[in-house]
Amino acid sequence: MRRLRCLGLMLALSLLLSCCAPKEYSAQTFAMDTVMSFTSYGREGERAVSAAAAEAGRLEGLLSVTRPESDIYAVNHAAGAWTQVSQETFDLIGRCLELCRACGGALDITAYPAVRAWGFTTGEYRVPGAEERVDLAARIDYTAVELDREQCRVRLPEGMELDLGAVAKGYAGDVLAGLTVRSGAESAMLYLGGNVHTVGRKPDGSLWRVGVQDPQGEGYLAVVEVENQAAVTSGGYQRFFEAEGETYWHILDPASAAPARSGVLSATVVGDCGLVCDGLSTALFVLGAEEAARLWRTLGEFEYILILEDGSVQITQGLEGRFSLAGSGEGREVQVIRP
Ligand code: AMP
Ligand code: MG
């Protein structure tokens, strides 16, 4: 009899707890060439995740380099003429150009002719010859992009083309997180490929735990805890091909129009703005450890994790206490970068 009562009590308790726990809602979509997955909690969670999935599709339509209806496609096919774009695209290009400048050109949103020549858009991979690379590098120059604020127009010299691939998912994360909050959700986790965007904390009040992938193996090598922030990773392992024993990845050094080889295998940037984190993660991958630290000391307002070729890890001071090695990362050397 006593056991029955105890069982009844436990059942009532678990029922009560499941009623109190906020309901979880998820949605998946494929946009911007990546699988996106959104999880949101609470009463408005369902509305939030379906709105996010629809919005991701809209942003792809606006910013895609391959879709003929996109603003970016129109600019790239204008043969040197002015092209009118939406206010949103115009503002985004302006912000991207500022980021390119802040990174000293390591991030350059005019890399498209080179990205295409290596086959990273089409999947028809090839290694352009030395002469071709010199020509491609000469066509990467964000300072040649002209903006006409009055008429919301953009102009590129003929032969140059925009590619927002290094920043678009970060921007999408910002937009989707804003939408999720406006939909009434207080807690959400948005995965956009290598980009993670969090809204608030987890429903139980703890921080979100974001895994940092092992660029040379399966699974995670570290975990970083975040709240209301983005954590964006750029890594050579995310898209690459092999030819004659050499690995060529999709992040190019604008100076050489060839895959960046800086000794960095992956760069994760943590900060409040997804667009900035995305642009910087690409830039840090190109710049390498020394220049990354210099940029962090000058710009501030972001933190980073670098996984280097020798297997060691660097984190910036702001991540101390929020970063821990895990899985294949256990026992690795971690260097803390300080101001
Ligand atoms: P991410 O994964 O954010 O580092 O962005 C990589 C993508 O951005 C590539 O697939 C290219 O489309 C483009 N890209 C490659 N190298 C650069 C670069 N140095 N600056 C800007 N965009 C780049
Ligand atoms: Mg990026």
Side-chain angles (χ1 to χ4, degrees):
M1 188 63 186
R2 234 179 108 200
R3 270 187 41 202
L4 257 177
R5 226 182 300 151
C6 204
L7 200 72
L9 205 68
M10 275 165 65
L11 256 170
L13 201 69
S14 63
L15 212 72
L16 194 73
L17 280 175
S18 67
C19 291
C20 294
K23 210 167 164 194
E24 180 183 306
Y25 296 94
S26 326
Q28 276 80 37
T29 190
F30 187 82
M32 298 181 170
D33 212 16
T34 196
V35 176
M36 298 186 178
S37 148
F38 313 125
T39 306
S40 182
Y41 298 85
R43 271 184 307 135
E44 303 301 333
E46 190 168 21
R47 204 152 61 100
V49 292
S50 53
E55 182 67 356
R58 183 189 74 81
L59 289 171
E60 165 161 6
L62 200 66
L63 307 174
S64 163
V65 82
T66 49
R67 288 181 44 175
E69 74 275 20
S70 90
D71 276 349
I72 300 303
Y73 188 96
V75 173
N76 287 352
H77 291 80
W82 283 104
T83 308
Q84 190 151 33
V85 295
S86 65
Q87 185 70 50
E88 185 176 7
T89 305
F90 185 87
D91 292 342
L92 177 60
I93 293 175
R95 291 175 69 196
C96 290
L97 293 175
E98 278 173 32
L99 256 178
C100 294
R101 202 166 300 124
C103 300
L107 172 77
D108 195 314
I109 56 164
T110 63
Y112 193 57
V115 171
R116 186 183 40 218
W118 284 87
F120 286 113
T121 335
T122 56
E124 288 162 24
Y125 299 122
R126 58 185 276 274
V127 180
E131 221 171 282
E132 185 180 351
R133 277 187 251 168
V134 170
D135 172 56
L136 289 168
R139 287 154 68 190
I140 305 177
D141 180 9
Y142 72 91
T143 65
V145 180
E146 290 178 277
L147 299 179
D148 169 9
R149 190 160 294 280
E150 295 284 293
Q151 298 186 56
C152 215
R153 296 185 306 170
V154 182
R155 182 163 69 173
L156 285 177
E158 202 165 0
M160 281 181 58
E161 288 167 276
L162 295 177
D163 175 7
L164 300 192
V167 283
K169 280 186 279 167
Y171 173 68
D174 292 332
V175 174
L176 301 191
L179 194 70
T180 308
V181 171
R182 284 199 302 283
S183 300
E186 286 166 16
S187 175
M189 166 76 115
L190 311 171
Y191 276 101
L192 305 89
N195 296 33
V196 176
H197 213 113
T198 62
V199 172
R201 289 187 167 209
K202 281 165 75 174
D204 66 4
S206 62
L207 298 175
W208 296 102
R209 290 167 60 78
V210 180
V212 178
Q213 199 173 322
D214 182 347
Q216 290 171 307
E218 298 289 308
Y220 297 119
L221 62 66
V223 171
V224 61
E225 293 186 312
V226 295
E227 162 187 17
N228 247 337
Q229 281 190 314
V232 178
T233 300
S234 286
Y237 64 90
Q238 290 169 335
R239 186 170 301 180
F240 64 90
F241 69 94
E242 283 163 344
E244 293 173 15
E246 217 25 91
T247 304
Y248 300 98
W249 46 67
H250 66 306
I251 304 172
L252 307 181
D253 183 345
S256 62
R261 301 202 190 276
S262 64
V264 172
L265 293 182
S266 84
T268 300
V269 175
V270 178
D272 295 341
C273 174
L275 169 67
V276 171
C277 290
D278 203 351
L280 289 178
S281 69
T282 307
L284 299 192
F285 186 93
V286 173
L287 289 170
E290 214 169 292
E291 289 297 314
R294 201 196 309 266
L295 193 65
W296 176 73
R297 289 185 183 113
T298 351
L299 289 185
E301 297 200 359
F302 73 97
E303 305 295 337
Y304 68 72
I305 302 160
L306 298 184
I307 314 297
L308 305 180
E309 247 162 23
D310 64 4
S312 68
V313 180
Q314 292 190 348
I315 66 168
T316 46
Q317 187 176 267
L319 293 181
E320 265 184 314
R322 292 205 273 148
F323 172 89
S324 50
L325 292 171
S328 57
E330 302 281 5
R332 293 197 191 209
E333 185 199 327
V334 179
Q335 187 193 349
V336 181
I337 306 297
R338 303 192 185 279

